[in-house]
């Protein structure tokens, strides 16, 4: 697999939106992705590209010395090939070079797979927001990683233990 990790361009926005729609029950609008790429100086919009096809997206916001992961998704046809792991490692390590000392995110309480991946990277659950997701009133779990830079996980938590 010949994967390139690179910044998202305006031309990538429709394909990034497609991945978002295929991945989330409450996807971002195409307009909001375009805003992040072109008008938000705090945003770092990253993509995974295989032979010119967009297969993964990660957007984070740099807020002083914190990296906030706003969204992460892999195209359904390309899952379980390590794309999310590479997006996480490379984007967080770029954020570290940019001055980030910690990383933060929120995720649906029922998204065990994502929580497992974040825990494998060393993120810890630090709180929750009751009924945060408006489509089904699901709680958000807040996770923090206090140690940057990151490496690919060696020890992995079984999904059943989440
Ligand atoms: C969560 C998501 C981003 C993972 O993307 P991915 O590219 O398939 O993930 P990776 O292939 O990098 O897998 C990372 C690790 O997760 C685990 N994993 C991934 N998919 C798995 C599955 N279906 N079952 C069990 N473990 C799985 C593995 O431990 C894997 O590491 P390993 O390959 O070294 O064992 C993807 O499933 C997705 O886009 N889901 C919908 C959107 C979402 O939930 N985003 C995250 C919340 S913001």
């Amino acid at each position: 697999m010949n994967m390139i990790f690179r910044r998202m361009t305006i031309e990538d926005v429709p394909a990034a939106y497609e991945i978002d729609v295929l991945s989330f029950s409450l996807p971002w609008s195409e307009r909001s992705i375009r805003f992040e790429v072109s008008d938000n100086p705090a945003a770092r919009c990253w993509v995974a590209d295989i032979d010119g096809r967009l297969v993964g997206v990660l957007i984070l916001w740099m807020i002083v010395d914190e990296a906030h992961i706003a969204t992460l998704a892999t195209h359904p046809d390309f899952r379980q090939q390590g794309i999310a792991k590479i997006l996480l490692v490379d984007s967080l390590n770029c954020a570290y070079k940019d001055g980030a000392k910690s990383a933060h995110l929120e995720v649906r309480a029922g998204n065990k797979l994502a929580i497992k991946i974040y825990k494998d990277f060393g993120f810890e659950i630090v709180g929750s927001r009751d009924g945060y997701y408006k489509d089904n009133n699901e709680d958000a779990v807040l996770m923090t990683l206090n140690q940057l830079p990151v490496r690919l996980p060696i020890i992995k938590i079984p999904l059943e233990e989440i």
Side-chain angles (χ1 to χ4, degrees):
M1 178 170 80
N2 188 17
M3 199 196 98
I4 298 168
F5 168 81
R6 62 170 175 80
R7 291 291 278 264
M8 190 189 299
T9 66
I10 280 291
E11 289 71 33
D12 293 321
V13 170
Y17 172 63
E18 189 196 341
I19 293 175
D20 220 60
V21 168
L22 291 169
S23 300
F24 296 108
S25 51
L26 280 180
W28 290 19
S29 67
E30 193 168 332
R31 194 170 146 202
S32 57
I33 299 173
R34 186 168 292 112
F35 166 80
E36 296 299 336
V37 176
S38 57
D39 288 319
N40 184 357
R44 306 289 181 270
C45 306
W46 296 105
V47 298
D49 167 325
I50 297 178
D51 299 330
R53 177 165 180 193
L54 219 74
V55 296
V57 174
L58 187 154
I59 297 177
L60 65 77
W61 296 310
M62 287 294 298
I63 302 172
V64 193
D65 59 358
E66 297 179 350
H68 287 253
I69 297 177
T71 192
L72 165 66
T74 298
H75 191 288
D77 294 345
F78 291 85
R79 289 186 185 158
Q80 289 192 267
Q81 298 178 39
I83 290 167
K85 281 191 302 189
I86 290 170
L87 280 168
L88 278 165
V89 169
D90 289 356
S91 65
L92 289 175
N93 289 343
C94 285
Y96 171 72
K97 285 184 197 146
D98 236 2
K101 295 193 173 90
S102 60
H104 308 262
L105 60 88
E106 69 217 359
V107 56
R108 285 176 189 263
N111 193 344
K112 303 290 178 199
L113 175 56
I115 293 171
K116 172 218 151 30
I117 294 172
Y118 295 131
K119 280 190 169 177
D120 285 348
F121 275 91
F123 279 85
E124 291 173 2
I125 293 175
V126 293
S128 64
R129 287 196 183 117
D130 294 349
Y132 181 76
Y133 294 98
K134 293 302 163 216
D135 57 337
N136 61 354
N137 215 33
E138 192 171 353
D139 298 346
V141 168
L142 310 180
M143 302 186 78
T144 293
L145 174 68
N146 281 313
Q147 223 176 353
L148 295 178
V150 292
R151 288 190 193 157
L152 282 171
I154 301 166
I155 300 163
K156 295 168 201 164
I157 300 162
L159 203 47
E160 312 77 60
E161 287 182 21
I162 299 296

